[in-house]
Amino acid sequence: MGQNPNVTSELRDIVVVFGAALLGGWLLRLARAPAIIGFLCAGIAIGPSGLDWIDAPRVHFFAEIGLALLLFSVGLELSPEPLARSGVRLVLTAALQMSAICLVVALIAMLAFGIGAVPAIVIGVAVSLSSTAIVLKQLSDRGETDTPTGVLTTGILIVQDVAVIVLLAFLPVAAGAAGGGVGDALRQTLLSLGGLVLAVAGAKLLLPLVARQVLQRGGTELMTLLSLVTACVGAWLADLAGWSWALGSCIAGLLLAQTELRYQLRAEITPFRDSLNALFFASIGMLVNVQSAYQQALPLALAIVGTLIGKALLTSLAAGSAGWPVRLALTAGLGLATISEFSYVLADEAASVGLLSRETLSFIVAWTVGTMLLGAMLVPAARPLADRLAAIVQRDRRRTPPAPTEAESPGAARVVIVGYGVNGRNLARTLRATRIPFVVIELNRRTAQQARGDGAAVVLGDATRLVILEEAGVQSARAVVVVIADVEATRRVVARVRTIRPDVFLLARTRYVAELDALRRLGADLVIPEEFETSIEIFSHVLKELGIPDNVIEQQIALVRAGGYGMLRGRAADRGITAEWVRAMEATVTQTHLLLDASPARGKTLRELDLRAQTGVTIAAITRRGTPIPNPSPDLPLEAGDVLVLVGAHGQLLAARAELDPPASPGVSDL
């Protein structure tokens, strides 16, 4: 069979793109740097202006399909929950951030380069957007998605993505305004928006039904295929409407994310997300014109560095102005300093409608890639940098928290609770009921107001700061309980408290197993890992259902905790603890068992039943119609309703219950 040279060439290009991305990502991982940098560098190397292993027309195809699939996965990951939790303040932060950056960039573009107002605003909006793919990946890898910083950062990204979707729809109108033909462009845009609304409404009705049927009839193996088909359909419909593939696939992902099967869909698409990242970032790297970038090296370098510094500063100021604490504002500002993949979509669409020249688009691509290369390294460093900057900013600032009531002043607090989430509220409720004075340290203003409404004394501020801990009365407290979701902040609070109060009882809650040893090394007396406590709850219920006495279950739980959860962590347990565990499991215990009407033992004498020979269990006594019969005779026949007192080891008792229970019944709980 003859070979089709076109097919061979296309297969070669696929091998080259993914192979180069694999090599680049692997090398950067070896250097302990984000793999995204390797993908970008690999794309630059194999692109038309590098080794020229990929033809220019194919580069644009790879970029379009890679971006479409990437933004579909981004849409599937995004959730409105951060917006719902933080409300108006988060939207205000994003609006201030985008407006400030857009205004500064647009003014520079108009005054320094003579660009028209409308194109300058488009460039300003493009620069104001931050890379959702880079930030979400880094937050997810470090387990910080649900932390206060993660919620703030993710919320700003959601607002940015929604805003750019709306702006993309009105780009033709902006082009018409710049060229004097706004009427036709407005009509076309309104028609397209109408079609989009109808398509979205139809999809919201049909997608949940389709997804449910696919899962029920086809199983989980078809869920990934459903996701890819949905992404392609969204891109196809967007193309018919004259919009970019990326916009349509992102909307498709957002719609799927609203179905009840969103978690299953995310689980199925997650293994492919890194491959989609590799394809897109390698493709966007291939779009960089190395020769042009070299010729404009100085303005490009100034633009990249100025963007990273300027965006970090303006985003931090916007978050601070909206009421976010200094450390959170600085961390979010540094993390959102990159330019977004959506910026390329916006700039490319603007170039297609004549708002931007191809030379300007080429500069924006190199500009975007440059901020991604440096920004990908800045995101992991955002937390320690923000901590240092926050320390400088707050060094001479005196915090004056609202004065608590005299009865519950921080100085009189016996317990300091850091964080007023679910665990903090439950602890506060218990302490209040037992009349133990306590004070709450809370970073979030809304949560602090809720704590005050519950009658708690509250210090509003960052518990990683010494002055806040002092205001809360840590110097005289009997116990400090750290129950916040921020992993890094938990470490810092534990270390700071232990430094100023070596003798205080210090308890920390963590969601992650990896934090257990680290928090203990930092000085926590007790660390409660949520994962292991859930495991303990599960096995205790199972043992209870199997008839293991409560005192033995409690002993086993104590042994697990005493061993630092080593048994659950796959570590070799202390021999003494292991011996205690074995003795507890092998101990002879006593249980009672009700003999049912359908029991095969009914009517048999104890001699005929011969339970000791069958299972090793002794019937020590029988209670019949309220009358105890100690040391029953071997010739005593058993009756329905008898309560047997059984003595034996755990395994023997299970075997005895199987002999005594009706064969067709799962058994009845012991009395």
Side-chain angles (χ1 to χ4, degrees):
M1 182 181 293
Q3 290 184 335
N4 186 332
N6 291 332
V7 173
T8 303
S9 177
E10 290 167 356
L11 288 174
R12 181 190 67 83
D13 288 348
I14 292 174
V15 171
V16 168
V17 171
F18 281 105
L22 175 63
L23 179 61
W26 176 66
L27 290 174
L28 267 294
R29 283 291 191 184
L30 288 180
R32 299 183 180 274
I36 289 173
I37 299 175
F39 301 153
L40 289 167
C41 293
I44 294 172
I46 65 175
S49 61
L51 297 173
D52 196 19
W53 287 355
I54 306 294
D55 296 335
R58 297 255 176 84
V59 170
H60 288 278
F61 172 76
F62 279 125
E64 286 285 348
I65 193 68
L67 184 60
L69 294 176
L70 174 66
L71 291 184
F72 170 77
S73 67
V74 167
L76 198 59
E77 289 284 342
L78 291 179
S79 169
E81 292 175 2
L83 293 178
R85 288 199 298 264
S86 299
V88 177
R89 185 163 60 133
L90 200 151
V91 177
L92 176 62
T93 303
L96 288 173
Q97 183 250 8
M98 290 187 68
S99 300
I101 295 172
C102 178
L103 179 61
V104 171
V105 173
L107 287 175
I108 293 174
M110 287 189 293
L111 298 177
F113 300 98
I115 298 176
V118 175
I121 292 174
V122 171
I123 295 173
V125 172
V127 174
S128 71
L129 304 174
S130 303
S131 178
T132 303
I134 291 177
V135 175
L136 286 185
K137 179 72 165 60
Q138 303 259 14
L139 289 174
S140 177
D141 288 348
R142 298 200 307 273
E144 296 181 0
T145 307
D146 294 329
T147 64
T149 302
V151 169
L152 172 59
T153 305
T154 305
I156 293 175
L157 290 171
I158 292 174
V159 176
Q160 288 181 353
D161 292 344
V162 171
V164 78
I165 288 173
V166 176
L167 290 170
L168 281 169
F170 282 95
L171 265 183
V173 178
V182 68
D184 293 338
L186 182 59
R187 280 192 297 272
Q188 182 62 39
T189 298
L190 291 176
L191 286 174
S192 297
L193 282 175
L196 174 64
V197 171
L198 291 175
V200 168
K204 288 200 70 170
L205 292 175
L206 291 177
L207 273 179
L209 299 176
V210 172
R212 196 177 301 114
Q213 287 300 315
V214 169
L215 181 61
Q216 290 176 354
R217 307 293 181 185
T220 57
E221 64 268 18
L222 294 184
M223 295 303 290
T224 303
L225 186 58
L226 171 66
S227 300
L228 294 177
V229 169
T230 305
C232 293
V233 168
W236 174 55
L237 292 177
D239 186 60
L240 291 178
W243 295 340
S244 74
W245 295 3
L247 175 61
S249 60
C250 184
I251 294 174
L254 286 169
L255 289 173
L256 268 182
Q258 305 311 309
T259 67
E260 60 184 4
L261 299 174
R262 59 187 179 276
Y263 300 111
Q264 180 66 40
L265 290 166
R266 288 174 189 168
E268 296 301 324
I269 202 68
T270 294
F272 299 93
R273 184 180 60 190
D274 291 339
S275 299
L276 302 180
N277 282 343
L279 177 59
F280 166 70
F281 286 108
S283 301
I284 202 73
M286 287 188 286
L287 289 173
V288 176
N289 189 324
V290 177
Q291 289 79 12
S292 176
Y294 178 75
Q295 293 170 0
Q296 304 179 74
L298 181 58
L300 185 60
L302 291 174
I304 292 170
V305 175
T307 299
L308 293 175
I309 297 174
K311 284 192 69 174
L313 178 61
L314 291 175
T315 302
S316 301
L317 289 174
S321 300
W324 296 94
V326 174
R327 183 170 58 84
L328 259 64
L330 290 170
T331 305
L334 291 166
L336 295 173
T338 59
I339 298 180
S340 172
E341 53 278 352
F342 253 134
S343 302
Y344 166 72
V345 177
L346 184 63
D348 190 54
E349 287 294 302
S352 67
V353 297
L355 281 174
L356 298 177
S357 66
R358 286 294 161 183
E359 292 76 14
T360 303
L361 176 61
S362 177
F363 184 86
I364 290 176
V365 169
W367 189 2
T368 300
V369 171
T371 63
M372 286 180 171
L373 286 170
L374 295 179
M377 293 184 289
L378 189 60
V379 173
R383 176 64 65 84
L385 284 175
D387 289 338
R388 293 181 182 180
L389 292 173
I392 295 172
V393 171
Q394 295 175 330
R395 182 171 296 164
D396 299 321
R397 179 185 297 179
R398 291 182 57 86
R399 289 181 178 266
T400 54
T405 60
E406 185 68 25
E408 291 187 314
S409 64
R414 295 176 63 190
V415 180
V416 175
I417 304 173
V418 181
Y420 200 69
V422 174
N423 293 294
R425 285 196 299 272
N426 290 336
L427 176 58
R429 189 177 296 114
T430 303
L431 294 175
R432 188 180 300 110
T434 53
R435 299 185 180 278
I436 296 176
F438 67 93
V439 63
V440 173
I441 301 177
E442 177 54 53
L443 189 62
N444 186 288
R445 291 181 183 274
R446 177 177 294 183
T447 308
Q449 291 174 355
Q450 179 184 356
R452 289 194 191 97
D454 293 339
V458 179
V459 172
L460 178 63
D462 186 353
T464 65
R465 313 307 306 166
L466 177 61
V467 64
I468 299 300
L469 293 173
E470 291 174 347
E471 288 286 350
V474 169
Q475 296 92 332
S476 59
R478 292 282 302 278
V480 178
V481 181
V482 186
V483 282
I484 53 179
D486 192 323
V487 175
E488 185 63 28
T490 299
R491 288 188 177 196
R492 290 172 58 83
V493 172
V494 168
R496 184 61 59 88
V497 170
R498 183 53 71 211
T499 299
I500 61 177
R501 279 294 307 279
D503 59 324
V504 74
F505 175 75
L506 179 54
L507 183 149
R509 186 270 291 178
T510 180
R511 295 176 57 187
Y512 304 106
V513 176
E515 290 298 300
L516 189 64
D517 292 332
L519 290 172
R520 284 189 165 175
R521 284 195 301 269
L522 290 170
D525 294 298
L526 182 61
V527 182
I528 306 296
E530 289 184 357
E531 293 174 329
F532 288 158
E533 286 300 318
T534 301
S535 299
I536 288 174
E537 190 73 12
I538 290 172
F539 83 62
S540 64
H541 281 290
V542 171
L543 293 179
K544 188 183 293 291
E545 182 64 25
L546 293 176
I548 305 300
D550 288 345
N551 66 314
V552 176
I553 296 175
E554 291 170 2
Q555 183 182 14
Q556 290 165 351
I557 293 173
L559 289 173
V560 172
R561 289 173 175 159
Y565 302 91
M567 295 179 183
L568 301 183
R569 300 164 73 185
R571 296 183 177 179
D574 179 84
R575 290 185 178 181
I577 294 177
T578 303
E580 284 293 324
W581 179 285
V582 172
R583 283 196 295 272
M585 293 302 296
E586 292 179 346
T588 298
V589 294
T590 302
Q591 287 185 359
T592 57
H593 188 89
L594 173 66
L595 201 68
L596 302 177
D597 288 337
S599 170
R602 179 188 177 193
K604 292 183 179 181
T605 65
L606 297 183
R607 191 189 309 277
E608 293 170 339
L609 183 62
D610 201 9
L611 198 61
R612 179 193 289 272
Q614 296 291 332
T615 65
V617 169
T618 300
I619 300 178
I622 298 175
T623 299
R624 178 173 293 172
R625 292 183 289 276
T627 302
I629 305 175
N631 299 317
S633 168
D635 297 319
L636 178 69
L638 297 175
E639 298 180 3
D642 284 351
V643 177
L644 311 181
V645 180
L646 309 177
V647 179
H650 300 301
Q652 295 172 337
L653 290 169
L654 289 175
R657 292 176 63 187
E659 294 288 331
L660 297 171
D661 281 333
S665 169
V668 176
S669 299
D670 293 338
L671 296 179

